[in-house]
Amino acid sequence: MFANYLIGLREGLEASLVVCILIAYLVKTDRRDALKPVWIGIGVAVALALGFGCVLEFGSQELTFKAQEALGGSLSIVAVVLVTWMVFWMRRTARHLKAELHGKLDAALQMGTGALVATAFLAVGREGLETSLFVWTSVRASNDGTEGPLIGVLLGLATAVALGWLFYRGALRINLAKFFTWTGGMLVVVAAGVLAYGFHDLQEADFLPGLTNKAFDITGTIPPDSWYGTLLKGVFNFQPDPTVLQVTVWLLYLIPTLALFLAPVGFASGKGKVKIPDEQGARGSEPTKAS
C-alpha cells in the first residue's frame, strides 16, 4: 500500500504543481477571463487519464490468461521506461518548470481560447497518462486480493491535491529538490519491482523462458500470506520465489539507475524551495521556486 501511496503522491503532486502554477499566474496577471478555458483543458486531461485507466482495467479482463500476462508484462516495461524518464526529467528541470509554463501560457494567451485549452490539456495530460499507466501496472504487480493498493493510490492523490492547494494559498513551503530526490529514489526502487514483475508476466505468457528456473525460494521463511510477506510485497513488490531472470533484471535496472539518479549533479544544495508570497491577499498568490 505504501508503494502505491508514494506513486499517487509523487505523480499527483507534479500535476498539482502544474495546475497551481497555471492558475496562480493567470490570477496574478489579472487574466481571470482565461481561467475557464484552462480549467476545461485540465478537466479534459483528467477525464482522458481516467478513461485510459478504465480501458486498461476493464479491457484486459476480456483477454485470455496468457494475453493478459503478455499485455501486463509489456505495459509494465513501458511504464518503468516512462517513469524512469520522468524522475530524471523532473530532477533536472523542476527549478525551471514555472518559467517554462509561464512562457507557454503567454504564447497561448495571444493565440486565443483554443490555445489555452490545448496548453492546459498538454501540461496536465502527460502527467495523467503516465500516472494511469504506472498506477495500473503497480497495482497489478502488488495486488494481494484486497483494495489496499487502490486505496493507497487514492490516498496519495488526495494528499497531492491537498498539498497543491496549500502551495497555492501560500500556507506551505517545501524543498522541491530534496522532495523529488527522495521520492524519486524510492520510486526507482518501486519501478525495479514492477519491472521484475513484468518480466515474470512475460515468462508466464511463454514469451520468455525460465519460469521454473528459480533464483531462490524462501516461502518457508517469508510466507506470501504473512503480514511481513504482504508488507514486503506491497512496498517493494518482493516475491519470495523469483526466477533467475527476475532477479537479474531487478539488479541490472536498480543498481545503475539509482546510482545515476543519486549522483551529485542537477540540483544544488539548498535550492528548489517553493515559496508562495501572499501578495494577492484573498485573490491567491503565485508559487515561486528559489533558484
Side-chain angles (χ1 to χ4, degrees), residues 12 38 40 54 68 77 88 106 115 119 123 148 180 213 218 228 234 259-260 263 279 288:
V38 167
I40 290 175
C54 289
Q68 287 183 12
I77 295 172
F88 277 94
D106 283 334
T119 298
F180 283 118
N213 188 14
I218 54 174
Y228 45 91
L260 286 173
E279 297 176 353
T288 306

Side-chain angles (χ1 to χ4, degrees), residues 30 47 74 99-100 205 229 240 245 258 265-266 275:
D30 201 23
S74 301
E100 180 181 336
L245 180 61
L258 202 56
V265 294
K275 299 179 182 177

Side-chain angles (χ1 to χ4, degrees), residues 118-133:
T119 298
F121 171 77
L122 293 174
V124 178
R126 179 181 62 84
E127 300 288 347
L129 291 176
E130 286 181 358
T131 301
S132 293
L133 179 57

Side-chain angles (χ1 to χ4, degrees), residues 71-285:
L71 176 66
S74 301
L75 290 181
S76 293
I77 295 172
V78 172
V80 169
V81 171
L82 289 175
V83 167
T84 304
W85 171 83
M86 178 270 297
V87 295
F88 277 94
W89 176 82
M90 181 56 73
R91 181 177 185 265
R92 185 179 66 252
T93 63
R95 284 179 293 163
H96 312 292
L97 181 62
K98 181 168 70 75
E100 180 181 336
L101 288 173
H102 284 180
K104 291 180 179 179
L105 201 53
D106 283 334
L109 285 168
Q110 297 178 3
M111 297 174 64
T113 302
L116 284 171
V117 174
T119 298
F121 171 77
L122 293 174
V124 178
R126 179 181 62 84
E127 300 288 347
L129 291 176
E130 286 181 358
T131 301
S132 293
L133 179 57
F134 195 55
V135 163
W136 183 78
T137 55
S138 179
V139 169
R140 188 173 183 274
S142 60
N143 188 19
D144 55 5
T146 70
E147 300 299 324
L150 183 58
I151 292 174
V153 171
L154 294 177
L155 288 175
L157 291 173
T159 304
V161 171
L163 290 175
W165 183 81
L166 290 173
F167 290 153
Y168 178 77
R169 299 307 303 173
L172 183 67
R173 293 185 180 186
I174 187 172
N175 188 311
L176 282 186
K178 291 183 179 180
F179 176 85
F180 283 118
T181 297
W182 282 102
T183 58
M186 289 187 286
L187 208 56
V188 167
V189 176
V190 173
V194 172
L195 184 64
Y197 189 88
F199 273 79
H200 182 265
D201 279 351
L202 293 178
Q203 288 181 306
E204 289 192 325
D206 290 335
F207 272 49
L208 294 173
L211 182 61
T212 59
N213 188 14
K214 302 294 184 180
F216 53 83
D217 188 346
I218 54 174
T219 52
T221 305
I222 306 178
D225 56 351
S226 63
W227 69 267
Y228 45 91
T230 302
L231 180 65
L232 289 172
K233 175 72 172 177
V235 176
F236 302 109
N237 289 313
F238 174 78
Q239 183 177 336
D241 57 342
T243 65
V244 172
L245 180 61
Q246 280 183 272
V247 174
T248 302
V249 167
W250 187 83
L251 290 172
L252 288 177
Y253 170 83
L254 180 64
I255 295 176
T257 304
L258 202 56
L260 286 173
F261 182 76
L262 297 178
V265 294
F267 290 116
S269 176
K271 295 186 177 182
K273 284 189 178 180
V274 172
K275 299 179 182 177
I276 308 182
D278 190 15
E279 297 176 353
Q280 299 299 315
R283 291 171 53 192
S285 52

